[in-house]
Amino acid sequence: MTREWNTLKRRNPPVGTQLSAPNPEVINHEIDCLLAELAEGRVEGVAYDTAWIARLGLRYPGNGFESALEWLRRNQYEDGSWGGPLVQYHDRFISTLAAIVALREAGADPRDERRVRRGESILWKIMGRLGRDDSDTIGFPILSASLATEATALGLDVPMPPMRFASAYRKKVQALLDNPNRNWRATTVAFSLEALRNSIRDSDQVLEANGSVASSPSATAAFLLSVNSPNEQAALDYLQRSQQEDGSVPAVAPIDLFSIAWSLTHLLQAGAVEPDSPQITRLLDHLWRSWSPTVGTSFSSYYPVTDSDCTAIGLSVLKWGNYPVSADVLSYYEGEQDFFCYVDETNPALSAQVRLLSTLRKCDDHPNYPAWSAKIVGTLHRLDENGSYWWDKWHASPYYVSGIALDALRGLDDRLVRSRLKWILRTQNDDGGWGYLGESTPEETAYCLQALTKWYNLGETFDRSIMDAAANYLWKNLFSYRKIPLWIGKSMYHPEGPVRAAILGALHRYVPIQLR
């Protein structure tokens, strides 16, 4: 079943289908289509990585990278910026900075200079708003500084942005550069290699087996701009495979392990899938091949640095599928005060803490369950800054982490649960959806509806019309929603599989309530 067939079917639901209310036949059909393509781990193209690919057109003419430059020209906003459609200022800053560097360096269109000038102007305005974001984008301190230096060398007038966590990044970078046997593949620094591309030595271990640097198109493009390597063709091939028909490239490729684990979690929690079906077995086998009993897994088959978030959710779905996994693996990520997501991370990830707790609830016979769960709940209290929601460094919306927390904390800390539940109930928009960055999105609405249906089925009393309005919003937008990037990478990105699974899972869970 090809991606084209699935996309066509989604845009044109089965003839004669009643679409006035969520229809279980259509929902199940869409779930089958999604499962058939999950291992691809599709991510929408983004301006930041596309800008890096566009710079390759001069060095590697005729390889298709010129179309990336055309994509940049078509996707500048009226205010002069690039990035996701909903404003996250770090995303807009880094995407715009990368785009104007690419246009100044590789652009030949007479109108490119005007595009660059508009980009310069908006950067100065965005700089003063960076503090409004709850989280930075990944690697922002080193990536923005490096790009600003390149821009200045090209004659551009750009600001040097203020930086959070800069000293922690410098320490991490210096540890790699001081090592006489540099293995970029063993550190998260490789994902932001473009900031350090002039430090690469011929003897360094950089590329993965698929020709990428850390499954990152932008880091791989920077590698090609920096060295003459016998592995040059492998990196070129990777980028050509990653480039999409419109000329753009995704923020990460592949993201297969993440796509499978997150999507299956949404669907199994909704009771929409069974572990012994052939489609599910194929996906779980894919996860199992990348599983380590000591350190777990990562977001990609071609990214060797594991993390607790992917490990926890991978453990959960593999346990559901009756694979021989153990919660012992989580001990690798235990710190003195909390659990870390990455070994060398600069600040904690709230969603990773909550995801660990959710997984531990399924492993409550483990001897460390009492101590581990208490440690995580303590962390959530310590980082509860406003009493209503948490923000997270991997996702721009607090509805993401707050939604999954309602299930993870049930019976462990009902005070925290009640405050998050109240915040969700009181912040629904008039269109039936939820949205943190100014407008409702199907993704955020799905997280809220998932949480509310769970609690409603457990006997919680609240106005059912809140769920009805949310389900109607999702149903109305099921075949036509904008793919809005809310996940935080080096820029904002949209992982299609997990988002689609969240929406379908929420609708699947709602249908029995609708029929009561």
Side-chain angles (χ1 to χ4, degrees):
M1 191 178 293
T2 65
R3 180 186 298 159
E4 291 75 14
W5 189 90
N6 287 330
T7 302
L8 178 63
K9 285 291 185 182
R10 287 174 183 160
R11 291 176 181 169
N12 300 282
V15 175
T17 300
Q18 175 55 256
L19 295 180
S20 60
N23 183 297
E25 179 186 351
V26 174
I27 294 169
N28 289 332
H29 168 77
E30 287 297 302
I31 289 172
D32 287 340
C33 291
L34 174 64
L35 291 173
E37 62 186 24
L38 262 189
E40 297 177 23
R42 181 173 168 80
V43 176
E44 289 290 294
V46 297
Y48 175 77
D49 288 76
T50 302
W52 277 95
I53 302 306
R55 296 172 67 176
L56 293 174
L58 292 176
R59 184 163 181 171
Y60 302 99
N63 283 274
F65 301 131
E66 294 80 5
S67 61
L69 205 60
E70 287 299 324
W71 188 93
L72 292 176
R73 291 170 177 141
R74 293 193 306 270
N75 285 277
Q76 186 176 23
Y77 293 111
E78 289 186 7
D79 66 359
S81 69
W82 282 264
L86 299 186
V87 177
Q88 201 266 7
Y89 292 106
H90 285 77
D91 166 61
R92 287 292 181 97
F93 190 95
I94 199 75
S95 298
T96 301
L97 187 55
I100 63 173
V101 167
L103 286 169
R104 171 58 65 87
E105 188 174 80
D109 187 306
R111 292 168 292 183
D112 284 343
E113 193 56 29
R114 182 173 180 272
R115 295 182 177 104
V116 168
R117 293 302 177 200
R118 290 171 60 216
E120 283 178 313
S121 296
I122 194 62
L123 283 175
W124 287 94
K125 296 176 182 178
I126 294 173
M127 183 183 67
R129 301 168 187 166
L130 291 172
R132 300 181 188 179
D133 289 338
D134 293 324
S135 291
D136 297 3
T137 48
I138 291 176
F140 187 83
I142 56 175
L143 292 172
S144 60
S146 174
L147 270 173
T149 300
E150 288 195 65
T152 301
L154 289 168
L156 300 175
D157 182 21
V158 300
M160 183 66 72
M163 299 175 193
R164 295 183 281 199
F165 314 120
S167 60
Y169 269 100
R170 280 195 294 269
K171 181 179 179 181
K172 184 161 53 173
V173 168
Q174 203 59 48
L176 171 67
L177 298 184
D178 289 344
N179 194 320
N181 299 308
R182 293 183 191 169
N183 182 4
W184 294 77
R185 299 179 59 247
T187 171
T188 55
V189 173
F191 193 69
S192 302
L193 177 138
E194 56 268 38
L196 304 164
R197 61 192 180 97
N198 293 327
S199 300
I200 302 171
R201 299 184 305 207
D202 291 342
S203 59
D204 290 355
Q205 300 177 55
V206 180
L207 292 186
E208 301 298 330
N210 67 341
S212 76
V213 176
S215 291
S216 167
S218 52
T220 308
F223 171 81
L224 285 172
L225 287 170
S226 306
V227 299
N228 291 308
S229 165
N231 296 317
E232 189 173 29
Q233 190 58 52
L236 278 172
D237 291 344
Y238 163 77
L239 291 175
Q240 288 177 316
R241 290 194 306 272
S242 301
Q243 193 167 20
Q244 300 178 3
E245 290 183 5
D246 62 0
S248 67
V249 291
V252 59
I255 196 170
D256 54 327
L257 304 180
F258 169 90
S259 182
I260 291 170
W262 259 255
S263 300
L264 289 184
T265 296
H266 290 305
L267 296 176
L268 72 88
Q269 287 177 342
V273 290
E274 296 295 334
D276 56 355
S277 73
Q279 279 187 314
I280 300 300
T281 299
R282 173 179 59 84
L283 294 169
L284 291 176
D285 284 345
H286 188 103
L287 273 181
W288 178 243
R289 286 192 292 271
S290 296
W291 182 260
S292 163
T294 54
V295 296
T297 192
S298 73
F299 66 81
S300 170
S301 294
Y302 295 97
Y303 188 64
V305 183
T306 62
D307 65 89
S308 67
D309 210 3
C310 291
T311 296
I313 202 166
L315 172 65
S316 179
V317 296
L318 288 170
K319 182 178 176 65
W320 169 73
N322 295 314
Y323 288 75
V325 291
S326 168
D328 291 347
V329 69
L330 301 179
S331 63
Y332 178 75
Y333 298 97
E334 185 179 10
E336 287 188 16
Q337 282 194 306
D338 52 27
F339 285 80
F340 48 82
C341 189
Y342 284 101
V343 172
D344 54 357
E345 69 185 358
T346 54
N347 61 310
L350 262 295
S351 63
Q353 305 284 332
V354 175
R355 191 70 70 184
L356 275 165
L357 184 59
S358 182
T359 295
L360 280 172
R361 299 296 297 269
K362 302 175 180 68
C363 307
D364 57 3
D365 58 344
H366 192 276
N368 288 337
Y369 170 75
W372 285 352
S373 58
K375 176 176 284 192
I376 293 172
V377 171
T379 298
L380 296 178
H381 272 287
R382 190 174 71 253
L383 299 177
D384 185 18
E385 296 179 355
N386 58 53
S388 295
Y389 62 83
W390 296 283
W391 53 266
D392 183 55
K393 72 177 185 179
W394 301 134
H395 201 283
S397 173
Y399 291 112
Y400 167 68
V401 65
S402 298
I404 59 176
L406 288 185
D407 187 38
L409 285 166
R410 177 174 51 87
L412 288 177
D413 196 309
D414 287 342
R415 186 181 71 78
L416 281 178
V417 169
R418 296 288 174 190
S419 62
R420 272 64 193 166
L421 181 61
K422 181 178 180 179
W423 180 68
I424 289 173
L425 290 170
R426 295 300 298 271
T427 56
Q428 187 177 31
N429 294 327
D430 291 341
D431 61 5
W434 281 267
Y436 184 65
L437 295 179
E439 67 179 65
S440 298
T441 71
E443 181 181 353
E444 291 167 281
T445 303
Y447 299 144
C448 294
L449 183 57
Q450 283 177 347
L452 294 179
T453 53
K454 176 77 171 182
W455 277 83
Y456 186 83
N457 287 331
L458 289 171
E460 184 70 25
T461 302
F462 54 84
D463 187 350
R464 195 187 114 169
S465 67
I466 293 173
M467 291 186 298
D468 295 337
N472 288 334
Y473 169 85
L474 288 180
W475 187 249
K476 182 175 66 175
N477 290 283
L478 183 62
F479 295 100
S480 59
Y481 63 86
R482 284 197 303 162
K483 296 172 181 176
I484 296 175
L486 292 172
W487 290 79
I488 301 174
K490 285 183 281 190
S491 63
M492 304 296 288
Y493 70 99
H494 177 89
E496 290 191 20
V499 172
R500 188 74 174 173
I503 294 167
L504 292 170
L507 287 170
H508 189 278
R509 184 180 275 181
Y510 167 79
V511 165
I513 296 174
Q514 168 189 272
L515 298 176
R516 289 178 191 173

